[in-house]
Amino acid sequence: MKISVVTPTIREDGLGIVKTCLDRQVFKDFEWLVVSPSWDHLWLIIDKDNYNHVPEPAKRDGDNYALNKAWNAAFRQAKGDLIVSIVDLLWFPPDVLEKLWNHYQTNPFSCIGGIGHQYNQVVNGKPETMVWRDPRMREQSFYEVSPMDYELCLASIPRKAILGVGGVEEEFDKYAALSEKEMCMRIVRLGYKFFIDQTIEYRAIKHDRLTKDWDERYQKGIVYFNECLKSIQEGKRLKLDHLVDSS
């Protein structure tokens, strides 16, 4: 298996557009791991042998969500050499997986992200009418970025890199966002670099935040993130044990 696509979600109605885009990919050697709370009607969407459901781990006391436990659950089951994160409610062109695999073949220490804007409606299966423009855009089409500018909306990370740092920190489930940034800061210490390829452009359907206290939890998360970052810089926090069962 060359690529494992991972999609943690609690929006089952946001998976149809992703599945349609995956079905159209010219690159075929991949699996799709969807992590969600229950199977329910998911079998109507995931109906192929290489499309798999992973049960979402339960929340713990004080958790905002189970996103990071879900990511780690997918990472533990992933078989592909390259992990590609694709969120729900996302449209992307048929050559995305091919481009990400080619980047990995050229430089196995590269992590590649795309550029994505937000749209407020879907017309004939494709998001239209832009309402937010990705601020990371530059004049050049390919450039290196800081892990702080790396988004897992649609992006690749070699499986060895994720295993090498022990996955994402599940403590961030108490907060909002920032967990992928912290993981990427640890991945950098292994010699990997992060890039944006603007020829990989995705379209996100704009949606409301799931919790009313998102901003409050984000601010608290910043404090925890800075504590983690200090430990990383001191060389004390490089590999976690969340993926100890992985091969």
Side-chain angles (χ1 to χ4, degrees):
M1 185 69 63
K2 292 182 177 178
I3 290 178
S4 292
V5 177
V6 300
T7 306
T9 182
I10 60 172
R11 305 182 188 91
E12 290 185 359
D13 58 349
L15 293 175
I17 190 170
V18 179
K19 179 184 181 296
T20 298
C21 293
L22 287 175
D23 286 346
R24 295 172 178 169
Q25 292 299 298
V26 297
F27 186 96
K28 299 299 183 182
D29 191 359
F30 72 92
E31 62 177 351
W32 186 26
L33 303 175
V34 175
V35 190
S36 66
S38 63
W39 182 251
D40 288 344
H41 301 295
L42 205 58
W43 64 273
L44 296 173
I45 301 171
I46 305 176
D47 58 0
K48 288 190 176 181
D49 291 339
N50 62 335
Y51 293 178
N52 306 292
H53 175 251
V54 179
E56 181 182 83
K59 289 183 181 179
R60 299 169 184 152
D61 289 344
D63 279 353
N64 180 38
Y65 47 36
L67 173 62
N68 298 293
K69 286 185 279 291
W71 261 328
N72 284 335
F75 296 155
R76 281 191 289 270
Q77 292 200 28
K79 301 174 183 176
D81 294 327
L82 185 66
I83 304 291
V84 175
S85 173
I86 299 179
V87 300
D88 53 26
L89 295 171
L90 210 71
W91 177 96
F92 45 96
D95 60 354
V96 163
L97 294 185
E98 181 180 53
K99 287 182 176 180
L100 291 174
W101 181 255
N102 288 341
H103 278 298
Y104 174 68
Q105 290 294 97
T106 300
N107 180 5
F109 279 81
S110 65
C111 305
I112 308 296
I115 287 291
H117 314 300
Q118 293 180 5
Y119 299 76
N120 67 1
Q121 61 180 322
V122 178
V123 179
N124 296 324
K126 185 175 182 180
E128 301 286 358
T129 311
M130 186 189 301
V131 295
W132 181 85
R133 188 175 180 85
D134 195 326
R136 299 174 300 164
M137 289 194 69
R138 301 184 188 176
E139 291 185 2
Q140 63 267 45
S141 63
F142 186 78
Y143 46 92
E144 186 174 354
V145 295
S146 161
M148 291 301 297
D149 291 323
Y150 202 68
E151 300 286 346
L152 291 188
C153 291
L154 194 159
S156 67
I157 299 178
R159 182 170 176 266
K160 285 185 178 179
I162 292 175
L163 295 179
V165 298
V168 288
E169 175 55 80
E170 296 178 1
E171 186 72 11
F172 277 102
D173 279 343
K174 295 180 179 179
Y175 309 111
L178 296 171
S179 57
E180 73 276 16
K181 316 288 188 186
E182 191 271 348
M183 180 180 71
C184 291
M185 295 298 288
R186 287 183 279 118
I187 287 175
V188 164
R189 300 296 291 263
L190 296 181
Y192 292 83
K193 293 186 177 182
F194 294 82
F195 301 91
I196 296 293
D197 181 351
Q198 289 190 172
T199 71
I200 300 173
E201 185 173 323
Y202 55 89
R203 297 189 176 200
I205 302 171
K206 185 174 176 57
H207 59 275
D208 295 330
R209 289 173 177 168
L210 293 171
T211 58
K212 295 181 179 179
D213 61 346
W214 193 96
D215 290 327
E216 179 183 349
R217 287 185 182 265
Y218 177 74
Q219 291 301 321
K220 292 180 179 179
I222 290 176
V223 176
Y224 180 63
F225 174 83
N226 287 333
E227 293 174 359
C228 293
L229 182 58
K230 183 175 183 294
S231 295
I232 294 170
Q233 292 171 340
E234 294 173 349
K236 300 176 181 178
R237 180 188 175 83
L238 301 180
K239 184 174 182 178
L240 309 180
D241 60 359
H242 295 308
L243 305 181
V244 291
D245 294 330
S246 296
S247 58

